[in-house]
Amino acid sequence: MASLALPGSFLDVSKTRRGRYATADSITRCNVAEPLKFNKENGRPCIPPLQVNGATSFTSLLNANQLRRFSVPHNPNDTRLRIFSGTANPALSQEIACNMGLELGKIMIKRFADGEIYVQLQESVRGCDVYLVQPTCPPANENLMELLIMIDACRRASAKNITAVIPYFGYARADRKTQGRESIAAKLVANLITEAGADRVLACDLHSGQSMGYFDIPVDHVHGQPVILDYLASKTICSDDLVVVSPDVGGVARARAFAKKLSDAPLAIVDKRRHGHNVAEVMNLIGDVRGKVAVMVDDMIDTAGTIAKGAALLHQEGAREVYACTTHAVFSPPAIERLSSGLFQEVIITNTIPVAEQNYFPQLTILSVANLLGETIWRVHDDCAGGFEPYSSLGID
């Protein structure tokens, strides 16, 4: 049985979990745009993925000297770069700063008795390149307002450049009018961020590529899928047994790009008819999954209605195992009940949105995007435009 491996990575010729060895010629490869390089000078380690189900993560099985390094030299003593965290995902912000060899900036964020948000920077940012890490995850309105006030505080403190780092961009689903008299909230939120004083936005896996066009400032769009691809490379899945599944017609481009990286795996599509918001009805399956390991790919899981009904259909059609892979875990009720019902062999997500401990379940695996975002911040700060290829060339945008 061949295992999946990234070209140029430490998994090229490695021992599988079951103790077998595969030669370089027999390994099925995940064709990420550019091999990830090692750099002995910079010495910045990759934080290994977090396994919630108690299993040891595959990177922790490797020698510490084999951990991934990046090839761009950075200066950790650069005092012009400052990173501040909002209250939406402080753990991710701390991990990003740790990966970059920096400390988070000191900021005071509090709420008055009536719910108003107060923000004060506790250090000078005059002439600095400031990065504000704040996903607009639930509660979306609270976190969005907090981000806007943080941007305003930095602008009034004479920051040279302000970048809003938004691992999860809320309201992105309202990106067009599907029926009359609807708002396009994604454009409204983009205008709010721009008018608050942000000079650029760094976002991860926007719901649709057109959302970048709603901003009148530069947008750096990075994809979390290479992190998931790297993890899948450690799984002992025979390439002949693999099929990538899009849970709806709208995600075909994303699933096709994902399948291409998995040695051009076959593609299947779930035909879904939606009768209302957060209500989905599966109608048909396009493609063959009988006896296959199905990997369902989406950008987010909200109530898990779409992906759970899709998984049920895949099992009806004879799929041997079903994996769910998504970047953003919104996990609105009753998502946890649906995902932990036994339909999925594993649910693979990233930490763009924090997952409460009470929402952990045995099949859940959380991978970290801190290394990806930290390296992107360095490259933006250093004006290193060519550095985004390993992360942004999945062919989705």
Side-chain angles (χ1 to χ4, degrees), residues 271-276 279-284:
D271 177 33
K272 177 193 67 177
R273 307 293 170 89
R274 188 181 291 279
H275 300 294
V279 178
E281 181 181 351
V282 171
M283 302 296 291
N284 202 1

Side-chain angles (χ1 to χ4, degrees), residues 11 13 41 47 51 58-59 83 86 103 105 133 163 238 246 255 274 291 305 323 325 338 341 359 381 388:
L11 290 169
V13 183
E41 290 126 7
I47 299 294
Q51 294 268 11
F58 72 94
T59 49
I83 301 176
E103 291 185 3
V133 183
T163 301
C238 179
S246 172
R274 188 181 291 279
Y323 288 79
C325 300
R338 289 169 171 168
S341 62
N359 289 335
H381 177 66
F388 292 99

Side-chain angles (χ1 to χ4, degrees), residues 138 278 301-305 330-339 359:
N278 294 328
I301 296 177
D302 189 357
T303 61
V330 182
F331 284 0
S332 303
I336 302 303
E337 290 78 3
R338 289 169 171 168
L339 295 173
N359 289 335

Side-chain angles (χ1 to χ4, degrees), residues 132-143:
L132 306 175
V133 183
Q134 175 80 341
T136 55
C137 52
N141 298 332
E142 285 276 318
N143 290 328

Side-chain angles (χ1 to χ4, degrees), residues 102-391:
L102 302 174
E103 291 185 3
L104 285 176
K106 297 176 182 176
I107 186 172
M108 179 172 66
I109 302 174
K110 65 179 183 180
R111 282 162 174 77
F112 293 111
D114 61 354
E116 291 181 5
I117 300 170
Y118 175 82
V119 173
Q120 183 188 31
L121 303 178
Q122 301 288 289
E123 57 186 70
S124 174
V125 294
R126 185 177 297 274
C128 292
D129 197 2
V130 176
Y131 293 81
L132 306 175
V133 183
Q134 175 80 341
T136 55
C137 52
N141 298 332
E142 285 276 318
N143 290 328
L144 173 60
M145 195 65 196
E146 185 178 301
L147 173 62
L148 298 177
I149 297 175
M150 289 169 65
I151 294 171
D152 183 70
C154 292
R155 180 173 62 88
R156 296 181 186 279
S158 302
K160 183 180 179 181
N161 291 301
I162 304 170
T163 301
V165 181
I166 310 176
Y168 169 70
F169 180 64
Y171 287 103
R173 284 173 285 185
D175 56 1
R176 65 194 185 281
K177 291 184 69 171
T178 57
Q179 43 191 327
R181 300 177 296 280
E182 278 186 332
S183 70
I184 304 179
K187 172 60 176 171
L188 172 63
V189 173
N191 287 343
L192 289 171
I193 292 172
T194 303
E195 290 301 316
D199 295 294
R200 69 188 306 126
V201 166
L202 196 166
C204 183
D205 269 333
L206 292 169
H207 186 63
S208 58
Q210 71 242 31
S211 298
M212 289 188 287
Y214 296 154
F215 290 90
D216 296 324
I217 53 178
V219 177
D220 294 306
H221 187 202
V222 298
H223 298 288
Q225 287 191 358
V227 176
I228 299 174
L229 282 166
D230 198 1
Y231 175 73
L232 286 176
S234 70
K235 313 292 285 185
T236 53
I237 303 173
C238 179
S239 59
D240 295 334
D241 292 342
L242 189 67
V243 59
V244 175
V245 181
S246 172
D248 54 31
V249 176
V252 171
R254 182 182 298 106
R256 186 188 295 119
F258 197 89
K260 219 170 178 184
K261 304 303 175 184
L262 290 175
S263 297
D264 210 8
L267 183 67
I269 304 167
V270 175
D271 177 33
K272 177 193 67 177
R273 307 293 170 89
R274 188 181 291 279
H275 300 294
H277 296 296
N278 294 328
V279 178
E281 181 181 351
V282 171
M283 302 296 291
N284 202 1
L285 177 69
I286 305 168
D288 180 25
V289 298
R290 187 166 300 279
K292 304 273 189 178
V293 175
V295 179
M296 299 188 75
V297 180
D298 209 350
D299 65 317
M300 70 171 69
I301 296 177
D302 189 357
T303 61
T306 296
I307 205 162
K309 289 187 177 182
L313 179 64
L314 293 175
H315 282 294
Q316 290 174 16
E317 294 294 326
R320 193 168 79 240
E321 292 178 349
V322 179
Y323 288 79
C325 300
T326 187
T327 305
H328 309 302
V330 182
F331 284 0
S332 303
I336 302 303
E337 290 78 3
R338 289 169 171 168
L339 295 173
S340 59
S341 62
L343 289 171
F344 299 97
Q345 181 76 13
E346 193 170 359
V347 177
I348 304 167
I349 65 172
T350 71
N351 61 345
T352 56
I353 297 175
V355 179
E357 193 170 343
Q358 61 266 28
N359 289 335
Y360 291 175
F361 53 94
Q363 297 87 1
L364 183 66
T365 299
I366 302 177
L367 308 179
S368 177
V369 294
N371 210 19
L372 184 151
L373 292 177
E375 180 64 16
T376 306
I377 290 173
W378 271 124
R379 293 178 186 273
V380 171
H381 177 66
D382 293 338
D383 295 324
C384 186
F388 292 99
E389 279 75 5
Y391 302 127

Side-chain angles (χ1 to χ4, degrees), residues 1-3 21-28:
M1 183 181 291
S3 63
Y21 284 82
T23 64
D25 294 333
S26 67
I27 290 176
T28 303

